[in-house]
Amino acid sequence: MLFQVGGKGTRPTFFEMAAAQQLPASLRAAVTYSVGVLALRRPFLHKVLDYEDEFFALLMLVLETHSLRNTDASFSESLYGLRRRSVRIRAKKDDTRLKSSDGIHHSGLEKRQRVLSVVFMVVLPYFKSKLHSVYNKEREARLQASLWGPTDERFDDVDYFGGGGNPLFSRGGTDAETSVRTSLTKKIQKIIFACYPWLHASCEGLSFTYQLLYLLDATGFYSVGLHALGIHVCRATGQELKLQGALLSCAYTMLDYAQTGLIAAVFFFKMMEWWYQSAEERMSAPTVYPPPPPPPPPKVAKEGIPLPPDRTICPLCSQKRANPSVVTVSGFVFCYACIFKYVSQVSSLDSYS
């Protein structure tokens, strides 16, 4: 089959694998948003945001290790009913009745494969995110230097591999040691800036190639990491799920309660966020007063010309206005020819006097 979209067999579809791969990124965004909202009320949680990469890597390390130990699957794969199987290729027999898939034998994961799976799912993404952070900061610094000229302090005070205030290389010691460390840091930054785009493009290209081949049913490995470890991702059989449910019935009951409680907690949290946000907006919003009443009309001078009762009449010529023009100092409207002639005469009298 060219495009596998159905749910037949033990081989997961491309959409199942894509959904399982994107779940950690969605989980990270949700956790970061939740911690960011809570940090508005609890300032000490800003430290968690400062060490966001380390905090999420530790969280995924616990989840992935526990999931691989109990279900032979990653955390996201276990939620979709998938399992990891070690691949062993048998020698093909000269029998035309045998299919090519008969030469592949699946077995449980070995300890080495579990450990390396954690490395590929947690450790390598962590270092990649750190390299991406270094690259972005170096690129911003070079862009700023191109616009405003080079500065003395660029990355000496920047912490790349931690979110806090400790720099990459601790300061102290003699000036010679500091200069050596500074020069070494800049060399590392230049190397990362030059090599990271190629590394990132290579990783994305390999990932796209494997996903395309998996979609076309040309390979059983969804990613280069699974191919390097010799692991196929398969659907869990009904017997496996039934056995696991029998062994962990209490755990599943607690999981159901935890899931219900989590949904209720999320709903309560969103309601409280809306409530407090509305209260803060009411407190911070400026008081809106009603518009003041219009001022009373100006009094007519003793020897002045009164305004006509009809607003369409020019006060100077007592005719209907032609080409209406507004005098900015008073706001009154006259005919353009009338007010121009009047202002010109007043200006000439003032100049003579």
Side-chain angles (χ1 to χ4, degrees), residues 239-252:
Q239 184 178 1
E240 291 176 342
L241 296 177
K242 185 177 180 180
L243 178 61
Q244 185 178 2
L247 294 176
L248 303 176
S249 58
C250 181
Y252 274 118

Side-chain angles (χ1 to χ4, degrees), residues 13-26:
T13 63
F14 173 81
F15 303 102
E16 290 175 307
M17 297 297 297
Q21 186 185 30
Q22 294 174 0
L23 183 60
S26 302

Side-chain angles (χ1 to χ4, degrees), residues 89-160:
I89 301 177
R90 297 174 178 175
K92 295 183 179 180
K93 300 180 181 180
D94 298 334
D95 190 352
T96 57
R97 293 177 299 176
L98 294 177
K99 297 181 180 179
S100 60
S101 60
D102 295 335
I104 298 178
H105 174 66
H106 292 153
S107 61
L109 294 181
E110 301 175 357
K111 183 178 180 180
R112 176 186 63 85
Q113 291 176 324
R114 291 191 181 94
V115 174
L116 292 179
S117 295
V118 173
V119 172
F120 273 92
M121 291 185 297
V122 179
V123 180
L124 293 184
Y126 168 74
F127 282 107
K128 184 179 178 181
S129 65
K130 285 300 179 183
L131 292 177
H132 186 72
S133 176
V134 174
Y135 173 78
N136 284 337
K137 292 176 181 178
E138 178 69 16
R139 184 181 61 178
E140 292 176 0
R142 295 198 176 192
L143 179 60
Q144 183 179 1
S146 64
L147 295 175
W148 305 102
T151 57
D152 295 335
E153 296 180 359
R154 289 177 56 194
F155 288 95
D156 299 341
D157 300 331
V158 177
D159 179 12
Y160 293 119

